[in-house]
Short mmCIF file of all heavy atoms in Angstrom, two decimals:
data_model
loop_
_atom_site.label_atom_id
_atom_site.label_comp_id
_atom_site.label_asym_id
_atom_site.label_seq_id
_atom_site.Cartn_x
_atom_site.Cartn_y
_atom_site.Cartn_z
N ASN C 599 -106.52 -12.72 7.64
CA ASN C 599 -106.04 -13.10 6.31
C ASN C 599 -106.59 -14.45 5.88
O ASN C 599 -106.83 -14.67 4.68
CB ASN C 599 -104.52 -13.10 6.28
CG ASN C 599 -103.94 -11.70 6.22
OD1 ASN C 599 -103.71 -11.16 5.14
ND2 ASN C 599 -103.69 -11.10 7.37
N ALA C 600 -106.77 -15.36 6.82
CA ALA C 600 -107.40 -16.64 6.49
C ALA C 600 -108.85 -16.42 6.05
O ALA C 600 -109.33 -17.04 5.08
CB ALA C 600 -107.35 -17.58 7.69
N LEU C 601 -109.54 -15.51 6.73
CA LEU C 601 -110.90 -15.18 6.32
C LEU C 601 -110.91 -14.55 4.94
O LEU C 601 -111.80 -14.83 4.12
CB LEU C 601 -111.52 -14.23 7.35
CG LEU C 601 -112.94 -13.74 7.08
CD1 LEU C 601 -113.91 -14.92 7.06
CD2 LEU C 601 -113.37 -12.72 8.12
N THR C 602 -109.92 -13.71 4.65
CA THR C 602 -109.82 -13.10 3.32
C THR C 602 -109.66 -14.18 2.26
O THR C 602 -110.29 -14.13 1.19
CB THR C 602 -108.61 -12.14 3.28
OG1 THR C 602 -108.78 -11.14 4.28
CG2 THR C 602 -108.52 -11.48 1.91
N LEU C 603 -108.83 -15.18 2.53
CA LEU C 603 -108.62 -16.27 1.57
C LEU C 603 -109.90 -17.07 1.36
O LEU C 603 -110.27 -17.40 0.21
CB LEU C 603 -107.50 -17.17 2.07
CG LEU C 603 -107.21 -18.41 1.22
CD1 LEU C 603 -106.78 -18.02 -0.20
CD2 LEU C 603 -106.13 -19.28 1.88
N LEU C 604 -110.60 -17.36 2.45
CA LEU C 604 -111.83 -18.16 2.33
C LEU C 604 -112.92 -17.40 1.57
O LEU C 604 -113.62 -17.98 0.72
CB LEU C 604 -112.32 -18.55 3.72
CG LEU C 604 -111.42 -19.51 4.50
CD1 LEU C 604 -111.97 -19.76 5.89
CD2 LEU C 604 -111.25 -20.83 3.75
N THR C 605 -113.05 -16.12 1.85
CA THR C 605 -114.06 -15.34 1.12
C THR C 605 -113.67 -15.18 -0.35
O THR C 605 -114.55 -15.06 -1.22
CB THR C 605 -114.24 -13.95 1.75
OG1 THR C 605 -112.98 -13.29 1.84
CG2 THR C 605 -114.86 -14.07 3.14
N THR C 606 -112.38 -15.21 -0.63
CA THR C 606 -111.95 -15.18 -2.03
C THR C 606 -112.39 -16.44 -2.75
O THR C 606 -112.87 -16.39 -3.90
CB THR C 606 -110.42 -15.03 -2.11
OG1 THR C 606 -110.02 -13.82 -1.46
CG2 THR C 606 -109.95 -15.00 -3.56
N LEU C 607 -112.26 -17.58 -2.08
CA LEU C 607 -112.71 -18.85 -2.69
C LEU C 607 -114.22 -18.83 -2.92
O LEU C 607 -114.71 -19.32 -3.94
CB LEU C 607 -112.32 -20.02 -1.78
CG LEU C 607 -110.81 -20.26 -1.60
CD1 LEU C 607 -110.57 -21.38 -0.61
CD2 LEU C 607 -110.15 -20.57 -2.94
N VAL C 608 -114.95 -18.26 -1.95
CA VAL C 608 -116.41 -18.17 -2.13
C VAL C 608 -116.75 -17.24 -3.28
O VAL C 608 -117.65 -17.53 -4.09
CB VAL C 608 -117.07 -17.67 -0.83
CG1 VAL C 608 -118.55 -17.40 -1.05
CG2 VAL C 608 -116.87 -18.67 0.29
N SER C 609 -116.01 -16.13 -3.42
CA SER C 609 -116.31 -15.18 -4.49
C SER C 609 -116.05 -15.75 -5.87
O SER C 609 -116.60 -15.26 -6.86
CB SER C 609 -115.47 -13.90 -4.29
OG SER C 609 -114.10 -14.17 -4.50
N LEU C 610 -115.23 -16.81 -5.96
CA LEU C 610 -115.02 -17.46 -7.25
C LEU C 610 -116.29 -18.17 -7.73
O LEU C 610 -116.47 -18.35 -8.93
CB LEU C 610 -113.87 -18.48 -7.16
CG LEU C 610 -112.48 -17.88 -6.86
CD1 LEU C 610 -111.45 -19.00 -6.72
CD2 LEU C 610 -112.07 -16.90 -7.95
N GLN C 611 -117.15 -18.53 -6.77
CA GLN C 611 -118.42 -19.15 -7.11
C GLN C 611 -119.54 -18.12 -7.24
O GLN C 611 -120.50 -18.33 -7.97
CB GLN C 611 -118.80 -20.19 -6.04
CG GLN C 611 -117.73 -21.23 -5.78
CD GLN C 611 -117.44 -22.06 -7.01
OE1 GLN C 611 -118.35 -22.39 -7.78
NE2 GLN C 611 -116.17 -22.39 -7.21
N ILE C 612 -119.41 -17.02 -6.51
CA ILE C 612 -120.42 -15.96 -6.56
C ILE C 612 -119.71 -14.69 -7.00
O ILE C 612 -119.08 -13.99 -6.19
CB ILE C 612 -121.09 -15.75 -5.18
CG1 ILE C 612 -121.63 -17.07 -4.64
CG2 ILE C 612 -122.21 -14.73 -5.28
CD1 ILE C 612 -122.21 -16.96 -3.26
N GLY C 613 -119.76 -14.39 -8.25
CA GLY C 613 -119.00 -13.28 -8.81
C GLY C 613 -119.31 -11.95 -8.16
O GLY C 613 -118.43 -11.10 -8.00
N ALA C 614 -120.57 -11.75 -7.73
CA ALA C 614 -120.96 -10.47 -7.17
C ALA C 614 -120.36 -10.22 -5.79
O ALA C 614 -120.43 -9.11 -5.27
CB ALA C 614 -122.48 -10.38 -7.09
N ALA C 615 -119.77 -11.26 -5.19
CA ALA C 615 -119.23 -11.13 -3.83
C ALA C 615 -117.74 -10.79 -3.82
O ALA C 615 -117.10 -10.85 -2.77
CB ALA C 615 -119.45 -12.43 -3.05
N TRP C 616 -117.17 -10.39 -4.94
CA TRP C 616 -115.73 -10.12 -5.00
C TRP C 616 -115.30 -8.98 -4.09
O TRP C 616 -114.16 -8.92 -3.64
CB TRP C 616 -115.33 -9.78 -6.44
CG TRP C 616 -115.97 -8.50 -6.94
CD1 TRP C 616 -117.13 -8.39 -7.62
CD2 TRP C 616 -115.46 -7.18 -6.76
NE1 TRP C 616 -117.43 -7.07 -7.87
CE2 TRP C 616 -116.39 -6.30 -7.36
CE3 TRP C 616 -114.33 -6.64 -6.17
CZ2 TRP C 616 -116.21 -4.92 -7.37
CZ3 TRP C 616 -114.15 -5.26 -6.18
CH2 TRP C 616 -115.08 -4.41 -6.79
N TYR C 617 -116.24 -8.05 -3.83
CA TYR C 617 -115.86 -6.87 -3.04
C TYR C 617 -115.58 -7.22 -1.58
O TYR C 617 -114.89 -6.48 -0.88
CB TYR C 617 -116.96 -5.82 -3.12
CG TYR C 617 -118.29 -6.27 -2.57
CD1 TYR C 617 -118.59 -6.11 -1.22
CD2 TYR C 617 -119.25 -6.85 -3.40
CE1 TYR C 617 -119.80 -6.52 -0.71
CE2 TYR C 617 -120.47 -7.27 -2.90
CZ TYR C 617 -120.74 -7.10 -1.54
OH TYR C 617 -121.95 -7.52 -1.05
N VAL C 618 -116.13 -8.34 -1.09
CA VAL C 618 -115.91 -8.70 0.31
C VAL C 618 -114.43 -8.99 0.58
O VAL C 618 -113.81 -8.38 1.45
CB VAL C 618 -116.80 -9.89 0.71
CG1 VAL C 618 -116.49 -10.31 2.15
CG2 VAL C 618 -118.26 -9.53 0.56
N PRO C 619 -113.79 -9.94 -0.17
CA PRO C 619 -112.35 -10.13 0.08
C PRO C 619 -111.53 -8.90 -0.28
O PRO C 619 -110.47 -8.67 0.33
CB PRO C 619 -112.00 -11.32 -0.81
CG PRO C 619 -113.06 -11.36 -1.86
CD PRO C 619 -114.30 -10.88 -1.18
N ALA C 620 -111.99 -8.10 -1.23
CA ALA C 620 -111.25 -6.89 -1.59
C ALA C 620 -111.21 -5.91 -0.42
O ALA C 620 -110.17 -5.32 -0.11
CB ALA C 620 -111.89 -6.23 -2.81
N VAL C 621 -112.34 -5.75 0.28
CA VAL C 621 -112.38 -4.87 1.45
C VAL C 621 -111.52 -5.42 2.57
O VAL C 621 -110.77 -4.68 3.23
CB VAL C 621 -113.84 -4.67 1.91
CG1 VAL C 621 -113.89 -3.95 3.26
CG2 VAL C 621 -114.63 -3.90 0.87
N LEU C 622 -111.59 -6.73 2.79
CA LEU C 622 -110.78 -7.34 3.85
C LEU C 622 -109.30 -7.15 3.58
O LEU C 622 -108.52 -6.82 4.48
CB LEU C 622 -111.12 -8.83 3.96
CG LEU C 622 -112.55 -9.18 4.38
CD1 LEU C 622 -112.74 -10.69 4.40
CD2 LEU C 622 -112.88 -8.60 5.75
N LEU C 623 -108.89 -7.37 2.32
CA LEU C 623 -107.49 -7.20 1.97
C LEU C 623 -107.06 -5.74 2.09
O LEU C 623 -105.95 -5.44 2.55
CB LEU C 623 -107.25 -7.70 0.55
CG LEU C 623 -105.81 -7.58 0.03
CD1 LEU C 623 -104.86 -8.41 0.89
CD2 LEU C 623 -105.73 -8.03 -1.44
N ALA C 624 -107.94 -4.83 1.70
CA ALA C 624 -107.61 -3.40 1.81
C ALA C 624 -107.40 -3.00 3.27
O ALA C 624 -106.51 -2.18 3.58
CB ALA C 624 -108.73 -2.57 1.19
N CYS C 625 -108.17 -3.55 4.18
CA CYS C 625 -108.00 -3.26 5.60
C CYS C 625 -106.62 -3.71 6.08
O CYS C 625 -105.92 -2.99 6.80
CB CYS C 625 -109.09 -3.93 6.42
SG CYS C 625 -110.74 -3.23 6.18
N THR C 626 -106.22 -4.92 5.68
CA THR C 626 -104.91 -5.43 6.07
C THR C 626 -103.80 -4.55 5.53
O THR C 626 -102.85 -4.18 6.24
CB THR C 626 -104.73 -6.86 5.56
OG1 THR C 626 -105.75 -7.69 6.12
CG2 THR C 626 -103.37 -7.41 5.95
N LEU C 627 -103.88 -4.19 4.25
CA LEU C 627 -102.84 -3.36 3.65
C LEU C 627 -102.80 -1.97 4.27
O LEU C 627 -101.72 -1.38 4.43
CB LEU C 627 -103.07 -3.26 2.14
CG LEU C 627 -102.94 -4.56 1.35
CD1 LEU C 627 -103.24 -4.33 -0.12
CD2 LEU C 627 -101.54 -5.15 1.52
N SER C 628 -103.96 -1.44 4.64
CA SER C 628 -103.99 -0.10 5.24
C SER C 628 -103.25 -0.07 6.57
O SER C 628 -102.59 0.92 6.91
CB SER C 628 -105.43 0.37 5.41
OG SER C 628 -106.11 -0.41 6.39
N VAL C 629 -103.34 -1.18 7.34
CA VAL C 629 -102.62 -1.25 8.61
C VAL C 629 -101.11 -1.22 8.36
O VAL C 629 -100.36 -0.48 9.00
CB VAL C 629 -103.01 -2.52 9.38
CG1 VAL C 629 -102.12 -2.69 10.61
CG2 VAL C 629 -104.47 -2.45 9.81
N GLY C 630 -100.66 -2.02 7.40
CA GLY C 630 -99.24 -2.06 7.10
C GLY C 630 -98.72 -0.74 6.56
O GLY C 630 -97.64 -0.26 6.96
N ILE C 631 -99.47 -0.12 5.66
CA ILE C 631 -99.04 1.16 5.09
C ILE C 631 -99.02 2.25 6.16
O ILE C 631 -98.10 3.07 6.21
CB ILE C 631 -99.96 1.54 3.91
CG1 ILE C 631 -99.77 0.54 2.76
CG2 ILE C 631 -99.67 2.95 3.43
CD1 ILE C 631 -100.77 0.70 1.64
N SER C 632 -100.04 2.24 7.03
CA SER C 632 -100.07 3.22 8.11
C SER C 632 -98.84 3.09 8.99
O SER C 632 -98.20 4.09 9.34
CB SER C 632 -101.34 3.02 8.94
OG SER C 632 -101.31 3.81 10.11
N TYR C 633 -98.49 1.86 9.33
CA TYR C 633 -97.30 1.66 10.15
C TYR C 633 -96.05 2.12 9.41
O TYR C 633 -95.18 2.80 9.98
CB TYR C 633 -97.17 0.19 10.53
CG TYR C 633 -96.06 -0.07 11.53
CD1 TYR C 633 -96.33 -0.22 12.87
CD2 TYR C 633 -94.74 -0.13 11.12
CE1 TYR C 633 -95.31 -0.43 13.79
CE2 TYR C 633 -93.71 -0.34 12.03
CZ TYR C 633 -94.01 -0.49 13.36
OH TYR C 633 -93.00 -0.69 14.25
#
Side-chain angles (χ1 to χ4, degrees):
N599 283 270
L601 179 62
T602 302
L603 177 61
L604 294 177
T605 55
T606 301
L607 295 176
V608 172
S609 68
L610 295 177
Q611 306 298 322
I612 307 176
W616 64 268
Y617 61 88
V618 176
V621 170
L622 296 178
L623 180 61
C625 291
T626 300
L627 295 178
S628 67
V629 172
I631 293 172
S632 171
Y633 187 99

